[in-house]
Amino acid sequence: MHEPAISHLSAADPELAGLVEAEATRQYEKVRLIASENYVSTAVLEATGTVLTNKYSEGYAGKRYYEGQQVIDQVETLAIERAKALFGVDHANVQPYSGSPANLAVYMALANPGDTVMGMALPDGGHLTHGWGVSATGKWFNPVRYGVAKETGTVDLDQVRDLAREHRPKLIFCGGTAIPRTIDFPAFAEIAREVDAVLVADIAHIAGLVAGGAHPSPVGHAQITSTTTHKTLRGPRGAMVFSDAEYAKALDKAVFPGLQGGPHNHTTAAIAVSLGEAATPEFRVYAHAVVANAKALAAALLERGFDLVSGGTDNHLILVDLTSKGIGGKPAAQALDRAGIELNYNTVPFDPRKPFDPSGIRLGTAAITTRGLDVDLMPKVAEWMDGAVTAAGAGDEAAIERIAAEIRELLAGYPMPGYTA
Ligand SMILES: *Cc1c(COP(=O)(O)O)cnc(C)c1O
């Protein structure tokens, strides 16, 4: 059952309530390895479900366009102060609706359409909003893209420097969605300084690790940091943008009135709650456990003959090239889902296959670590993955069913925030 209980919803709209319960049960019974997902605490869930959703508050604390902000101003200020303290930044804007609009706000604050911008190519691990062609950021700006080196599978900083010198971009984005290794913020900062570009660190994936001291911080190196709040940071779906004092005004103006109307106050409240949680010693332990689990899972996968991009991981994320296993990413991901292991198919760098049927799968350990799974269980997870991939190749649905049943049995011993069994 969902927790907090959804009794009013069940009475008013049993059809929808049934779907919510079904999703809660699905999350309870799966080994959730999608690298961008997590389980938020019951406190964060409660904050998102409050009357704060009823209030319009365009503007910023003390400068709103609607009356009745006595409480909302305090909620948003609390979120901002917690973000500033946790990440050690001069300025924080907590209003962006999600990571993509947050990045768009960065462009709007610091660049004009047609300007040259630089980011990591999507197939190499970058995000759509770092100037990929189908994104508004790739259509409205002049994107230059760097990637990873073929031999190492890690960011090619020589290429970054060469491209930056040649194209002199206004903005350089570092960070991405499928980067299993530590991002070298000082190296990016040096390149950005040399070509007079503003460095933007997009820490959407690793924000929780940064907050918990399990990944170096971009603060002091990047003038702008953008992040989602719902990945390793374990907050509600939302985003934040941090900056040096110099860019504060431009960023705030870009978020509102540049791109958005009223902020989602219930989300802001839940962000404040999650930032409070992320400032605790328990969260530091969590962030380090996420990385320990990823390293243990990577080692166990390597032992079973899986080929990992860059050879392993430094963070929460693992990118697997399945070519050596003789199966594509999509059929593997679908079979793994049937086996109770949820992840996504993903392109790998220099992928010879098409994006809708790529060679790889991407996984992360943020959610299973929240659930309490530890390093001792990672060889078992790798065994299940290997079994499911092999069974998929052999068309052995019975084996896949057996794995799903074993997983349900194991997970019954690991409580899920937001659910009572
Ligand atoms: C997830 C992600 C985003 C976008 O976040 P949404 O909330 O999905 O819009 C932006 N940048 C990076 C690096 C991400 O991983």
Side-chain angles (χ1 to χ4, degrees):
M1 297 277 283
H2 196 275
E3 190 194 25
I6 54 169
S7 53
H8 297 88
L9 182 59
S10 299
D13 192 337
E15 187 179 5
L16 197 281
L19 293 174
V20 174
E21 291 294 358
E23 174 62 12
T25 303
R26 194 195 65 80
Q27 292 185 14
Y28 181 68
E29 293 182 342
K30 284 261 176 80
V31 169
R32 295 178 58 232
L33 293 177
I34 292 182
S36 49
E37 296 184 359
N38 213 323
Y39 295 95
V40 299
S41 70
T42 317
V44 168
L45 278 180
E46 279 184 351
T48 61
T50 58
V51 295
L52 301 187
T53 197
N54 295 340
K55 188 73 194 118
Y56 241 106
S57 45
E58 286 181 344
Y60 293 100
K63 298 171 294 244
R64 305 278 190 188
Y65 292 80
Y66 297 78
E67 296 313 312
Q69 310 296 344
Q70 294 84 351
V71 178
I72 297 299
D73 275 5
Q74 296 180 65
V75 170
E76 188 172 325
T77 302
L78 195 57
I80 289 169
E81 291 308 321
R82 286 180 181 177
K84 283 164 67 175
L86 183 62
F87 289 94
V89 289
D90 294 346
H91 179 70
N93 187 308
V94 298
Q95 292 192 5
Y97 298 144
S98 213
S100 301
N103 282 346
L104 208 51
V106 174
Y107 286 90
M108 189 166 186
L110 296 165
N112 290 304
D115 281 350
T116 298
V117 297
M118 206 165 115
M120 195 175 198
L122 185 75
D124 288 45
H127 191 257
L128 283 163
T129 56
H130 299 179
W132 196 240
V134 294
S135 155
T137 62
K139 290 183 191 295
W140 296 345
F141 298 90
N142 173 37
V144 177
R145 301 176 190 115
Y146 60 87
V148 299
K150 200 160 190 173
E151 318 77 62
T152 58
T154 61
V155 178
D156 187 345
L157 284 166
D158 293 330
Q159 185 196 28
V160 175
R161 190 178 305 103
D162 291 346
L163 288 171
R165 283 176 178 163
E166 184 186 343
H167 298 281
R168 311 222 30 121
K170 217 163 192 177
L171 302 176
I172 298 176
F173 279 84
C174 60
T177 59
I179 303 175
R181 294 296 182 175
T182 301
I183 300 162
D184 189 345
F185 298 120
F188 272 101
E190 195 186 310
I191 294 166
R193 224 175 2 254
E194 185 190 324
V195 301
D196 247 338
V198 173
L199 181 63
V200 185
D202 182 347
I203 61 166
H205 261 266
I206 55 171
L209 307 184
V210 171
H215 187 289
S217 170
V219 177
H221 305 292
Q223 292 96 324
I224 311 278
T225 297
S226 71
T227 184
T228 59
T229 46
H230 48 269
K231 298 179 184 177
T232 54
L233 190 57
R234 217 162 62 179
R237 306 200 77 82
M240 304 186 285
V241 189
F242 310 139
S243 76
D244 293 351
E246 177 185 359
Y247 300 102
K249 226 177 172 159
L251 265 180
D252 282 355
K253 273 176 69 179
V255 173
F256 175 86
L259 288 167
Q260 298 189 170
H264 294 178
N265 298 310
H266 55 305
T267 299
T268 306
I271 289 174
V273 174
S274 61
L275 290 168
E277 292 174 356
T280 61
E282 291 77 15
F283 193 88
R284 288 187 83 80
V285 172
Y286 164 72
H288 285 91
V290 168
V291 176
N293 273 342
K295 283 181 183 291
L297 183 54
L301 287 169
L302 284 170
E303 216 161 276
R304 291 185 167 273
F306 284 92
D307 183 10
L308 308 188
V309 172
S310 85
T313 181
D314 298 326
N315 53 32
H316 65 300
L317 188 146
I318 299 168
L319 197 55
V320 184
D321 184 342
L322 288 169
T323 309
S324 66
K325 290 281 183 183
I327 186 169
K330 195 172 194 171
Q334 288 169 342
L336 284 159
D337 190 55
R338 294 199 297 281
I341 297 171
E342 186 189 2
L343 43 69
N344 65 282
Y345 61 87
N346 214 96
T347 53
V348 295
F350 311 100
D351 202 324
R353 299 168 67 115
K354 293 185 289 290
F356 282 117
D357 186 20
S359 300
I361 49 175
R362 185 191 71 158
L363 50 136
T365 50
I368 57 170
T369 306
T370 297
R371 196 78 187 265
L373 274 64
D374 63 15
V375 287
D376 295 338
L377 277 169
M378 294 306 113
K380 190 72 201 167
V381 174
E383 184 190 324
W384 280 326
M385 286 180 62
D386 201 11
V389 166
T390 306
D396 185 354
E397 281 303 311
I400 288 175
E401 264 301 307
R402 274 198 302 277
I403 294 170
E406 278 180 47
I407 284 174
R408 279 195 298 275
E409 193 184 320
L410 175 96
L411 289 179
Y414 293 85
M416 164 182 152
Y419 189 81
T420 42

